[in-house]
Amino acid sequence: MRKDVCGAAAPIAIFVEASSCGISRVVLELISKATEIASKSPREIVAFFPCFRNADLASELAEAGADRVIVAKDPLFDTYETGCYASAVSAMARSTLPDILLFGATPLGRDLAPRVANRLVTGLTADCTALDFDTEEGLLLQTRPAFGGNVMATIVCPKHRPQMATVRPGAMPLSAAKKYKRVGKIEFFDAKISPVNVMSRILDITRKDVVEAGLESAKIVVSGGRGMKGVEGFEILKELASLIGARLGASRAAVDSGWISHEHQVGQTGHSTHPDIYVACGISGAIQHISGMGGSKFIIAINKDRNAPIHDVADLSIVGDIFKVIPKLIEMIKEQPKS
Ligand SMILES: Cc1cc2nc3c(=O)[nH]c(=O)nc-3n(C[C@H](O)[C@H](O)[C@H](O)COP(=O)(O)OP(=O)(O)OC[C@H]3O[C@@H](n4cnc5c(N)ncnc54)[C@H](O)[C@@H]3O)c2cc1C
């Protein structure tokens, strides 16, 4: 395990992605995970924050559990530019020598992390859905789907440091940081980037109007698969979801059939979600789907096939026809007296 000059384990660093809407939720999820690792293997949690107009958000990171927030404030970091950000984050890593360096597997994180890994001459496990830490070996256990999603592989990086991973948004809960109540300090860092480091110039940004399905932070998700048979089937799910305050999810089969948009897809090539309750309706439970919802606290499966793999991960299995079970459920909910 890499140690600092005082013999303490080297820090866990997290790249901070933020916008005018605030700190990206995945950053807070990573701080939570880092806090959990630091509770097993004590070490600092450091946030790397290249920014300009968003610099005020540093205090939120300190409150969220980062022991040190290293802020590189420069107009060059106001808009994401690959070369500038890669140089800055690599410089921060060379100065703090982290044992672990984590990024959200967002479009930005996926663009940036491999370039930083290359500059630091280390490996990168992309698109992880789970992280753990082997305290004896000092290794980050990085789990991600492999071989077309047919197996979940746990990857380690024993020879190079930092151990680097991108982690899918929504794959980890937010709880740990609050539990350990860490509050950190803010430092400023000169990344020594000059305009000559800028390889491309952003002339204009056009935002695509996307209606977010809100799956990453949902408390309840009602999700439909091929068994919903069509758009009409999803109308029944929408009614159930609105009655119980749930978000709507879907399997890839339902999305590919054009019954619902991709923003609602749960799984390896969709969103990760870990709600308190996940209701899987007419979903068989392929590994690529489970990898996006397997961390849900309580899983209810409604499927007419008693041998469907979804029943193996379900806490409550209803073997029956969705088109009989769900209308009955809706009826019962409507009969409940309103409190
Ligand atoms: C690289 C790769 C990435 C992938 N990524 C994803 C991903 O992100 N998300 C994802 O979901 N999949 C993904 N898949 C696809 C995945 O392998 C499955 O094909 C898909 O999840 C199946 O969707 P489904 O369960 O809705 O359909 P099916 O497997 O066809 O299951 C339908 C289920 O509905 C049940 N059913 C039918 N009628 C009724 C009824 N009336 N009442 C009750 N039950 C009924 C059936 O018993 C069956 O179990 C990926 C595949 C690959 C190769």
Side-chain angles (χ1 to χ4, degrees), residues 226 229 251-252 265-266 268-269 284 288-289 303 322:
R226 204 191 317 261
K229 307 276 192 281
S251 73
R252 177 157 143 183
Q265 186 176 315
V266 173
Q268 185 189 326
T269 41
S284 59
Q288 296 91 351
H289 188 81
N303 195 308
I322 333 161

Side-chain angles (χ1 to χ4, degrees), residues 158-177:
K159 294 197 178 140
H160 294 270
R161 292 292 179 272
Q163 305 173 79
M164 279 183 60
T166 62
V167 179
R168 293 185 61 162
M172 283 155 199
L174 276 178
S175 53

